Amino acid sequence: DVGFGASSTFGGPIETTTLDRLAMHGLRYTEFHTTALCSPTRAALLTGRNHHSVHTGVIMEQATGFPGYDSVMGKDTATVAEILRQHGWNTGWFGKNHNVPDWQTSQAGPFDLWPTALGFEHFYGFVGAETNQWRPALFEGTKPVEPYLGHPEYNLDYDLADQAIQWVRNLKAVAPDRPFFLYYAPGATHSPHQPRKEWIEKYKGKFDEGWDKIREETLRRQETLGLVPPNTILTKRPDGIPPWDSLPAEKKALFSYMMEIYAGYLEQTDYNVGRVLSAIDQLGQLDNTLVIYIVGDNGASAEGGLTGMLNELAGINGIPEDFAELLRRRDDLGTWKTHNHYPVGWAHAMDSPFQWTKQIASHYGGTANGLVISWPRRIRDQGGIRPQWHHVIDIAPTILDIAGIQQPSSVNGVAQKPIEGVSMAYSFDDALAPSTRHT
C-alpha cells in the first residue's frame, strides 16, 4: 500500500534513505506496475505469470469458483523460489504471505500452498492480508509462534529484519559460496499503521499544510529528479475528496497526525530493510547481490475512508465509526489498541502525480509502484533512470535470466505453463532500449 509518490526516492515527502542509497548505486524504474491489489500482485511476482493465470484475480478472502479467481495456485505454475531451490539455492521468505487459500490457513491445513511447499525452505511471517505489528499472528514454517510474549516493546517490523539477518548469517557461516534467494515482504505499509513512537515524532508538523500542497510539492520534486516529463500536469483531485482548506481545524490536526504515523511507518520499514542489507554487506556479499526493491504491492490505500479509522476491519464489516470517538482516542492510534488507517486524501497524495488508488486497476494510482534494482558488480549506470514499461510478472524471468536458468518444462513431474513475463536485464546497460514488453 505504498503509492508512487510516497518515498523520497520517487519524489515523495517520506525519507527512505535505504532506497535512496540503492538508487544511487543502481537504477530507478519509473514505469513499473503491479496489479492494484496485494494477493494478485504477490502471486504474479512469485510465478512470473499473470495473476489470473495463477488463479488469483482477487484477494484470498474473496475467492469464487471461477478458474481465475479460485485462489488455488496450480502446480503448473511453479514459483521462482522452487526453480532456484532445485538449482542449489537456499530460499527464505520473511513477512507477509496472503497467498494461502482462506480455508487452508488453520492448523488443519492442508499445507501444500503454504510457502514451505512453494519452494521456500524457510518461512517466518503471517499468512493473512494484515496483522497487528505489536501482537502479530505469526508462523514459523507452519507452526504458530508468539515472540512478543514477555517483550512489551516488540514490533514485527524489527523482528522480520532480525530473522532475515540471522538466516543469511547462518547460511553463509556453513555454505559461504551457495547463492541465496531472500524474499522480504514486510507488513508495512498496509494497515494497521504501527511504527515505534520515535519514527512518528520525526514527522511532527510535517503534514500540516495538507494533502493538496503535498501533492504539488511532490510533483515538483519528481520533475527535478527527472522521474516525470517536464511540465507534467497534476491529475485533478476527485470531487469526493474534500479540499484540505475546507476542513475544520480539529480534522486538520487529526488527519495530519494520521499521516505522521504513516510516514513514520514507511521510514521505519525502509530502515529495517537497510539493516538486512547491512548484514549482507558485512558478509562481503552486497556488491554481488541483486537487490530488487519494489516500493509497494499496489498504490496507496483509500480504505480508510474520508476520516480515517481506528479499526479498518470495522469499516470492512460495515460498522461506521464516529469522528468524535476518533478524536477522543487520538493517542491510541498506532498502538496495539487500534487497527488504524489514514483518510483517502492522503492516499491520493501518496499516489502523486497519478489518479486513483489501490484496488483501481484502470488508473496508474492503483498500479504504478517505484522500483529500484541494485547490483554494483554488474550495473554500470549507477544512479540511472529507466523509463521502460514493465510489470511485476517480469521480476521472476529477470532473476532466472541473470542466474542463467531456463524455465523448466516440468517441475516435480508437472508440465509448466509458460512464464508470461519478460526479462528486464536488457535495460541494465541501455536507458534508451525499447521495452521488450509489448502487451
Side-chain angles (χ1 to χ4, degrees):
D1 292 359
V2 188
F4 183 83
S7 69
S8 57
T9 315
F10 288 88
I14 303 169
E15 289 186 38
T16 47
T17 53
T18 299
L19 188 61
D20 288 345
R21 194 162 56 246
L22 287 170
M24 283 174 52
H25 297 290
L27 303 170
R28 263 179 293 199
Y29 286 79
T30 59
E31 290 279 0
F32 183 78
H33 291 267
T34 54
T35 73
L37 203 55
C38 51
S39 299
T41 290
R42 292 159 190 273
L45 170 68
L46 289 172
T47 64
R49 280 88 167 185
N50 288 312
H51 45 302
H52 294 92
S53 298
V54 284
H55 301 248
T56 316
V58 288
I59 59 172
M60 300 291 105
E61 295 82 355
Q62 293 180 337
T64 65
F66 296 99
Y69 299 87
D70 61 24
S71 78
V72 182
M73 290 171 60
K75 302 301 181 186
D76 55 357
T77 52
T79 69
V80 64
E82 177 65 11
I83 297 169
L84 293 173
R85 187 187 68 80
Q86 294 192 13
H87 282 79
W89 293 53
N90 287 122
T91 57
W93 181 337
F94 300 85
K96 177 172 174 174
N97 165 259
H98 209 200
N99 285 125
V100 176
D102 194 41
W103 63 93
Q104 296 183 9
T105 57
S106 77
Q107 284 299 282
F111 297 105
D112 64 325
L113 290 173
W114 284 57
T116 48
L118 295 178
F120 290 91
E121 298 166 324
H122 184 75
F123 171 64
Y124 185 87
F126 58 100
V127 299
E130 60 214 90
T131 195
N132 189 299
Q133 299 292 294
W134 306 106
R135 308 285 190 273
L138 280 185
F139 294 88
E140 186 164 12
T142 61
K143 172 190 170 186
V145 291
E146 297 176 311
Y148 51 84
L149 293 178
H151 300 281
E153 77 293 344
Y154 175 93
N155 185 279
L156 175 60
D157 197 48
Y158 287 80
D159 186 18
L160 292 177
D162 291 343
Q163 294 288 334
I165 290 167
Q166 181 182 29
W167 181 76
V168 173
R169 284 177 175 166
N170 288 345
L171 295 182
K172 290 299 172 182
V174 178
D177 296 327
R178 187 179 300 166
F180 66 90
F181 176 59
L182 195 169
Y183 177 37
Y184 188 82
T189 58
H190 197 293
S191 64
H193 305 156
Q194 294 174 323
R196 288 182 176 171
K197 199 165 181 107
E198 61 264 29
W199 296 104
I200 302 172
E201 291 170 347
K202 181 174 180 179
Y203 287 93
K204 185 174 177 57
K206 295 287 178 69
F207 299 101
D208 290 354
E209 58 191 349
W211 45 63
D212 294 317
K213 283 285 186 196
I214 292 291
R215 292 188 79 222
E216 294 168 4
E217 292 169 1
T218 296
L219 177 58
R220 284 198 291 270
R221 286 190 295 265
Q222 289 169 337
E223 288 183 327
T224 301
L225 290 168
L227 303 175
V228 298
N231 304 314
T232 293
I233 298 170
L234 200 61
T235 52
K236 182 177 178 290
R237 175 177 30 78
D239 293 337
I241 299 175
W244 182 262
D245 290 343
S246 73
L247 299 173
E250 61 181 9
K251 283 193 174 181
K252 286 181 177 178
L254 182 62
F255 294 172
S256 295
Y257 181 58
M258 288 174 163
M259 184 58 206
E260 291 167 17
I261 296 171
Y262 178 85
Y265 194 28
L266 180 57
E267 185 172 353
Q268 174 187 284
T269 307
D270 181 78
Y271 165 79
N272 280 311
V273 173
R275 291 179 55 223
V276 177
L277 292 175
S278 293
I280 295 171
D281 194 19
Q282 289 163 12
L283 293 166
Q285 299 285 328
L286 194 57
D287 274 358
N288 197 36
T289 296
L290 174 72
V291 180
I292 301 170
Y293 192 147
I294 306 172
V295 195
D297 54 2
N298 42 241
S301 169
E303 292 153 353
L306 289 174
T307 60
M309 290 185 176
L310 287 167
N311 183 356
E312 188 214 352
L313 301 179
I316 289 172
N317 286 281
I319 302 171
E321 289 190 344
D322 179 52
F323 180 75
E325 180 69 2
L326 262 172
L327 210 54
R328 186 183 73 80
R329 294 189 57 192
R330 174 192 184 277
D331 292 343
D332 287 341
L333 294 170
T335 72
W336 64 269
K337 299 177 182 179
T338 60
H339 197 102
N340 53 305
H341 203 310
Y342 62 10
V344 61
W346 290 123
H348 187 233
M350 293 304 99
D351 288 332
S352 298
F354 302 118
Q355 198 172 354
W356 282 104
T357 59
K358 172 187 178 180
Q359 295 194 22
I360 311 299
S362 57
H363 291 76
Y364 276 7
T367 68
N369 285 96
L371 167 67
V372 168
I373 296 182
S374 171
W375 187 11
R377 186 173 291 184
R378 168 67 176 78
I379 292 174
R380 299 283 173 255
D381 183 21
Q382 297 191 2
I385 292 174
R386 294 295 182 267
Q388 291 90 350
W389 204 103
H390 278 286
H391 191 264
V392 70
I393 63 171
D394 298 334
I395 297 297
T398 302
I399 294 169
L400 294 178
D401 182 16
I402 288 166
I405 299 171
Q406 288 190 334
Q407 186 205 354
S409 59
S410 174
V411 175
N412 298 322
V414 180
Q416 295 293 291
K417 289 181 180 178
I419 284 179
E420 292 163 323
V422 299
S423 173
M424 300 169 64
Y426 74 91
S427 65
F428 290 0
D429 299 321
D430 190 351
L432 301 178
S435 177
T436 56
R437 166 160 294 292
H438 303 297
T439 304

